[in-house]
Every structure is written in structure tokens, then in C-alpha cells.
């Protein structure tokens, strides 16, 4: 069973469109994250939810909106896509508290044309 | 605020040679320390971590790292590189006693292994 899964794996879309990426974890973790990895492999945290509550909200355009319907799911919706949004987006989860080892999903490669 | 510096964005070694990937952190108190590996077109996976106790930590695939508080370092080593070790490696730190669980990642080091 896949621990952290994301759909879709690839997403190609045009500028101005709205798209969503879904993430699910079956590890029973309390905390989930969204990261953006650019073409230089730099990894930047975007959001984090703990038990459906937003706890980390980095400087991200408000076109990006996370939503956590339950603690096993964290979705990312992006409005009015721009060329600069092209990247690989990773979902991750961890058990909160002192042990913060994170488990990453396989990533969603978003290409905006 | 905490930060992580990985010295050397690219490291190239010959198969069978020692692997040394450097990581230094800046934090007001010693953080929890992690090394992750990312193989091509995959997500990150944990190699090893230091939380408390013994400062020499052994991980998967023959990797180990040593926490040196005096040097604020957590360098990753492997005695003998294998072709399959070619990947991107990330050092990360997390502040202790936090429920937010925010990790700060280094910029990554690309390891190339030559035959």
C-alpha cells in the first residue's frame, strides 16, 4: 500500500486555468504538508496542516489554496495558473511532536504553457 | 530562525570511493537533524535522523552521519560509493519541542558516481 499518494502525477495546462492536486496518506499521521520543488531542485514549504488546521502558511500567492477535508487528505487548488507555477509539487506527512520524520509522496509535475 | 547550509551543490566520486556530503546548521538550540535522499523522478525518503542520544547515526544503504554540536554540523558519509547512490541529497533541521513540525531544508547536493 502506498503511504502517501498524489494525483495526478503529471499535469499540463495553459496559463489562466484553475487546477487541483490531491493528496492522501494512510499512515495515520496528524500533519500534512505541501512543498514546491523548482527546476534547480530547491525545496520550499508552502503549507502545513495539523488535524485539519492550517499551522504553516508561507509566503505563497493567494492563488494557492489548500484544503484538508480530514486529516488523511490535503488538497491544493491553484487559480489563474502562471508560467512560474511550473514545478514539482510534493505532499508529505508526519506524526507531529518531537519526531518530525516526513514521508513524501511521489510528486506532481505541473507544467504551465 | 534556523537555517541549513549544504556545502557543495555537486559532488562527484568514483565507485568504491568515500562519500562525504556536508551539512551545517544554524539554530539557537540544537535541532533535530535529518538526511533525505531523492532518486530521479521520485519523492524524498529518509536516510537517517538524529534526535537524541548517540551522535553517530546509522541509516539505510550504508550511510551514516555524525552530529557535532561544537561544529554545528551533521555531515553524511558512506565508506564505499555504489552506482545506485547517485541521487539528490537533502539535509533538513526541525526545531525541538514544536508541534508545528516545520522543517528547513538545505538546497541539496547532487551526488554523481563515476564507474
Amino acid at each position: 500500500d502506498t503511504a502517501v499518494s498524489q494525483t495526478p502525477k503529471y499535469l499540463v495546462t495553459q496559463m489562466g486555468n484553475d487546477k487541483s492536486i490531491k493528496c492522501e496518506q494512510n499512515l495515520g499521521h496528524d500533519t500534512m504538508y505541501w512543498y514546491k520543488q523548482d527546476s534547480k531542485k530547491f525545496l520550499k514549504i508552502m503549507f502545513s496542516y495539523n488535524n485539519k488546521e492550517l499551522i504553516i502558511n508561507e509566503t505563497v500567492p493567494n492563488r494557492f489554496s489548500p484544503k484538508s477535508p480530514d486529516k488523511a487528505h490535503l488538497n491544493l487548488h491553484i487559480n489563474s495558473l502562471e508560467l512560474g507555477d511550473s514545478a514539482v509539487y510534493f505532499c508529505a506527512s508526519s506524526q507531529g511532536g518531537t519526531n518530525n520524520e516526513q514521508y513524501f509522496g511521489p510528486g506532481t509535475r505541473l507544467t504551465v504553457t | 530562525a534556523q537555517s541549513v547550509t549544504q556545502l557543495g551543490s555537486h559532488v562527484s566520486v568514483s565507485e568504491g570511493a568515500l562519500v562525504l556530503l556536508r551539512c551545517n546548521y544554524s539554530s539557537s538550540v540544537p535541532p533535530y537533524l535529518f538526511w533525505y535522499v531523492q532518486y530521479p523522478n521520485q519523492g524524498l525518503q529518509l536516510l537517517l535522523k538524529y534526535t537524541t542520544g548517540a551522535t553517530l547515526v546509522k541509516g539505510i544503504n550504508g550511510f551514516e552521519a555524525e552530529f557535532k554540536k561544537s561544529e554545528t554540523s551533521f555531515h553524511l558519509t558512506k565508506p564505499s560509493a555504489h552506482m545506485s547512490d547517485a541521487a539528490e541529497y537533502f539535509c533538513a533541521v526541525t526545531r525541538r519541542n514544536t508541534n508545528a513540525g516545520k522543517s528547513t531544508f538545505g538546497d541539496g547536493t547532487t551526488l554523481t558516481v563515476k564507474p
Side-chain angles (χ1 to χ4, degrees):
Chain A
D1 278 348
T2 303
V4 182
S5 59
Q6 296 179 227
T7 54
K9 187 166 177 64
Y10 299 96
L11 187 52
V12 181
T13 188
Q14 292 183 329
M15 286 175 55
N17 285 348
D18 303 338
K19 291 293 180 184
S20 292
I21 307 171
K22 296 186 176 181
C23 177
E24 176 181 4
Q25 54 95 4
N26 62 6
L27 298 167
H29 288 164
D30 294 328
T31 307
M32 296 185 73
Y33 311 81
W34 276 113
Y35 287 90
K36 179 181 181 181
Q37 186 175 47
D38 64 20
S39 58
K40 294 184 178 179
K41 301 289 183 73
F42 297 151
L43 199 63
K44 178 182 175 182
I45 189 167
M46 301 173 70
F47 304 102
S48 175
Y49 272 73
N50 181 266
N51 279 321
K52 300 193 298 175
E53 180 183 350
L54 181 65
I55 55 172
I56 296 174
N57 186 356
E58 295 294 290
T59 306
V60 175
N62 57 15
R63 299 181 293 103
F64 290 80
S65 53
K67 187 170 184 179
S68 182
D70 55 61
K71 76 172 193 176
H73 296 83
L74 180 61
N75 304 322
L76 183 66
H77 188 76
I78 315 170
N79 290 325
S80 303
L81 278 154
E82 301 178 356
L83 292 176
D85 298 332
S86 295
V88 181
Y89 292 84
F90 287 100
C91 176
S93 73
S94 71
Q95 191 60 38
T98 56
N99 184 348
N100 193 38
E101 169 184 338
Q102 295 186 30
Y103 292 78
F104 284 77
T108 296
R109 182 174 295 275
L110 171 65
T111 303
V112 183
T113 61
Chain B
Q2 56 193 18
S3 65
V4 180
T5 302
Q6 291 184 237
L7 295 174
S9 58
H10 291 83
V11 171
S12 180
V13 301
S14 297
E15 191 172 20
L18 171 71
V19 175
L20 171 61
L21 304 183
R22 300 177 187 273
C23 173
N24 287 87
Y25 68 89
S26 173
S27 179
S28 55
V29 296
Y32 295 125
L33 297 150
F34 304 82
W35 274 100
Y36 290 86
V37 61
Q38 182 180 25
Y39 298 106
N41 299 313
Q42 294 186 26
L44 282 70
Q45 57 182 276
L46 183 73
L47 269 179
L48 49 79
K49 64 181 179 183
Y50 171 76
T51 56
T52 188
T55 56
L56 182 62
V57 180
K58 295 187 184 300
I60 62 172
N61 301 339
F63 284 93
E64 62 182 36
E66 186 171 12
F67 168 60
K68 293 187 176 180
K69 182 179 177 180
S70 61
E71 298 177 9
T72 61
S73 68
F74 191 56
H75 301 331
L76 181 71
T77 61
K78 181 174 180 177
S80 177
H82 193 272
M83 296 296 291
S84 61
D85 294 326
E88 191 79 16
Y89 291 80
F90 293 92
C91 182
V93 301
T94 303
R95 198 173 63 196
R96 289 176 183 264
N97 301 321
T98 174
N99 288 325
K102 177 181 176 180
S103 289
T104 301
F105 283 80
D107 289 342
T109 297
T110 303
L111 176 64
T112 301
V113 182
K114 299 174 291 186

